[in-house]
Amino acid sequence: MTKSLSSTGQQDFHRPSYHFLPAANWMNDPNGVIQWKGRYHLFYQYNPDGAYHANMHWGHAVSDDLARWQELPVAIAPTPDSPDQGGIFSGCVGNHDGRPVAVYTGVNDDYSVQTQCLALGNDELTEWRKHPRNPVVGEVPAHLGQRRDFRDPFVWRQDDQWYMALSAHIVGVGGAVLLYRSADLIDWEYLHPLYVGDRARHGRNFECANFFRLGEKWVLIISVQWDQAPTNTIYLVGRLEDLRFIPEREGVYDAGYSYASLMHFDESGRPLIYSWIREGREVDLQRAAGWSGVQAIPRVLSLDSQNRLLSQPVPEIEKLRRTRHRFAPSDIAPVDLPVRGLALDIEAEFDVSVADTCGIELAVAPDGEEKAAIVYERDTGTLRIDRHYRRGESEIDSAPQGLAHRPDAGDMLQLRILLDGSVLEVIADGRSRVTSRIYPSSADNRGVGLVAPTALRALDIWEMASIW
């Protein structure tokens, strides 16, 4: 039976209202994302037992429009005494001769052995039969020097062959993406590393690598695990020669809580990317809330003339826009705006040449002591989110989040901001992204303000409808 969110978390103002998350419990990585017979399917890491990471299953949701989602029963669960008895980890779904096939990582009880498995779906993608030859990729290449970090298959079709990118860690070297080839998704040949990272620049281990073609270029998106620093997501753009990836440009896909991104091409050919938005609060608070993890609004990908990776929220979510508040510079006298809300879609334009800093403040408390400030600093060329709480909260992350960014010469700074409960997605000029989490102490923290109003050139704010 389909779960309903209508009675779940109604008093929890931290809970998003137009981003997808299951009715309860833990969610993390998007897994299979596919448009099948017109409907969009999202599979995701899910723990049916509670709001904590354990007992991984594949949850399942479906949408006709990428805006409203319906949660369906669990799609794939662990099987005792099998290669996935410890959990169904991340992967993807492909269309093999008209048959949906899930490719995923199966793990043992302590996650120390990770192998790649197949499951065959029915025509509604609601029932899955595991392949009798699982695991289809069980042997770990000896040059890795370990067996634990060997997961997250991403498959694509090229030249009548299937290819698989596997995320891994090479002991003493760092993260790597391994390349496999198969004619039938069952018998796989290991070719070589598709790409090996620099540990100092790219961290200790790679996860959830996506490899795909955009126009004349190939794009590699990688979620990075560091020894000390927080995880983040990077992208590389380059060319493919002799089945080896040669990067020509590198950048940060997201400098905040967005992680484990997964893309696919829909039936119209649009490259769409989905991401898990992690929590920024302690596990005990997540358990108490009864839910953990959110899916980012899907985005459309493209490359600009400099081969920078651009992304914008799918236009379908604009159908959720309700009351519109439009402001011109002549309308702005006070810093505070006559708009309130925790479910907003914002488009703002600033002239960064007229002020040292500019930006917008959200979730502002009535006394102004608590807020989330999205600030651009001209001198340092930095886009940053500052989260201000009334008092120090050891259970809540309040560290600044940001990255280097400069508008192109002569251009205004264009910000697209999605605020939804505790979720804050910020995109600058389509190419710099910071996803944050905020946890206001009161539902009254709903104010909107400006940083340096003189820099504002245009501002549109829409109140957003709930998808539940």
Side-chain angles (χ1 to χ4, degrees):
M1 178 178 294
T2 300
K3 299 177 182 178
S4 170
L5 289 179
S6 60
S7 61
T8 303
Q10 289 182 332
Q11 306 305 313
D12 186 353
F13 57 90
H14 293 150
R15 187 181 178 95
S17 64
Y18 67 92
H19 285 68
F20 174 74
L21 69 165
N25 304 324
W26 171 278
M27 161 197 277
N28 58 296
D29 308 3
N31 297 148
V33 289
I34 190 171
Q35 189 179 17
W36 185 264
K37 295 190 174 180
R39 307 194 81 192
Y40 292 93
H41 292 260
L42 164 67
F43 300 88
Y44 53 89
Q45 294 282 273
Y46 176 67
N47 177 11
D49 295 335
Y52 54 93
H53 186 279
N55 191 26
M56 288 295 99
H57 293 54
W58 270 25
H60 186 193
V62 66
S63 175
D64 292 316
D65 60 5
L66 290 174
R68 294 177 173 84
W69 293 86
Q70 177 189 13
E71 184 181 358
L72 299 179
V74 165
I76 308 177
T79 299
D81 301 318
S82 81
D84 62 30
Q85 67 182 30
I88 311 294
F89 273 21
S90 296
C92 59
V93 173
N95 182 342
H96 183 54
D97 297 331
R99 182 78 181 271
V101 180
V103 190
Y104 65 91
T105 298
V107 298
N108 65 345
D109 290 334
D110 66 0
Y111 306 162
S112 62
V113 178
Q114 303 179 359
T115 58
Q116 317 318 314
C117 301
L118 294 184
L120 308 178
N122 65 356
D123 210 34
E124 291 74 38
L125 281 65
T126 54
E127 297 179 3
W128 296 84
R129 178 176 57 84
K130 295 177 183 179
H131 200 280
R133 285 180 54 184
N134 281 342
V136 295
V137 178
E139 182 178 350
V140 178
H143 69 87
L144 296 188
Q146 55 84 36
R147 301 179 67 188
R148 186 181 184 93
D149 296 319
F150 180 68
R151 55 182 176 268
D152 308 334
F154 179 88
V155 302
W156 71 96
R157 190 87 167 169
Q158 179 183 343
D159 300 329
D160 295 324
Q161 296 282 313
W162 283 100
Y163 289 86
M164 175 194 295
L166 270 181
S167 301
H169 163 65
I170 301 176
V171 174
V173 176
V177 181
L178 311 180
L179 184 64
Y180 289 75
R181 181 170 56 196
S182 172
D184 57 7
L185 292 172
I186 300 170
D187 294 302
W188 289 93
E189 172 193 8
Y190 174 53
L191 300 178
H192 47 250
L194 177 70
Y195 176 74
V196 177
D198 179 327
R199 183 165 183 153
R201 265 198 0 261
H202 303 131
R204 183 192 70 84
N205 182 49
F206 289 167
E207 293 190 296
C208 300
N210 293 214
F211 190 62
F212 54 97
R213 189 166 184 165
L214 278 185
E216 298 301 313
K217 297 296 181 180
W218 286 84
V219 179
L220 181 62
I221 296 179
I222 306 169
S223 294
V224 176
Q225 290 184 322
W226 296 83
D227 290 315
Q228 301 295 332
T231 56
N232 70 323
T233 310
I234 65 173
Y235 75 88
L236 302 99
V237 179
R239 62 189 189 276
L240 188 64
E241 293 184 359
D242 298 324
L243 295 178
R244 296 180 188 272
F245 178 60
I246 302 172
E248 299 167 337
R249 172 177 281 276
E250 178 180 323
V252 175
Y253 177 72
D254 195 287
Y257 288 111
S258 174
Y259 197 72
S261 298
L262 183 62
M263 71 79 59
H264 74 109
F265 292 93
D266 73 4
E267 292 172 355
S268 69
R270 289 189 304 175
L272 302 179
I273 192 166
Y274 304 65
S275 302
W276 167 43
I277 302 178
R278 299 179 291 113
E279 295 289 331
R281 53 184 173 177
E282 293 293 330
V283 172
D284 287 347
L285 294 179
Q286 298 172 42
R287 285 177 178 259
W291 60 275
S292 177
V294 182
Q295 291 295 314
I297 296 298
R299 298 176 184 175
V300 183
L301 296 175
S302 61
L303 294 174
D304 69 8
S305 60
Q306 301 179 48
N307 288 327
R308 296 175 297 192
L309 186 63
L310 306 181
S311 65
Q312 290 292 351
V314 291
E316 286 89 336
I317 69 159
E318 295 173 13
K319 67 181 63 177
L320 301 175
R321 290 172 170 176
R322 295 298 181 262
T323 303
R324 180 183 189 177
H325 306 269
R326 166 166 279 189
F327 301 95
S330 59
D331 301 325
I332 307 300
V335 173
D336 296 329
L337 298 175
V339 182
R340 290 169 57 80
L342 287 175
L344 304 173
D345 184 354
I346 301 169
E347 295 181 1
E349 181 179 279
F350 295 92
D351 184 347
V352 301
S353 69
V354 303
D356 293 335
T357 62
C358 60
I360 192 164
E361 298 175 340
L362 300 172
V364 181
D367 63 4
E369 290 297 312
E370 291 190 331
K371 59 189 172 184
I374 302 159
V375 178
Y376 180 76
E377 291 185 349
R378 180 183 60 196
D379 291 344
T380 61
T382 303
L383 177 70
R384 190 179 69 248
I385 298 177
D386 292 326
R387 294 167 291 175
H388 302 274
Y389 296 104
R390 198 178 310 278
R391 61 184 186 279
E393 297 281 359
S394 60
E395 301 93 349
I396 298 174
D397 180 18
S398 60
Q401 297 173 294
L403 75 170
H405 177 80
R406 289 191 185 277
D408 291 336
D411 286 352
M412 300 289 177
L413 174 68
Q414 306 279 347
L415 295 181
R416 179 71 180 275
I417 301 166
L418 302 177
L419 171 66
D420 191 9
S422 58
V423 170
L424 184 56
E425 297 190 62
V426 179
I427 304 174
D429 298 321
R431 56 183 167 83
S432 294
R433 296 152 286 258
V434 187
T435 301
S436 190
R437 299 301 297 271
I438 60 174
Y439 301 95
S441 63
S442 170
D444 293 331
N445 294 14
R446 302 167 63 84
V448 179
L450 288 173
V451 178
T454 56
L456 183 73
R457 291 297 173 264
L459 177 62
D460 285 287
I461 302 175
W462 290 267
E463 300 175 29
M464 296 292 279
S466 172
I467 64 173
W468 311 115

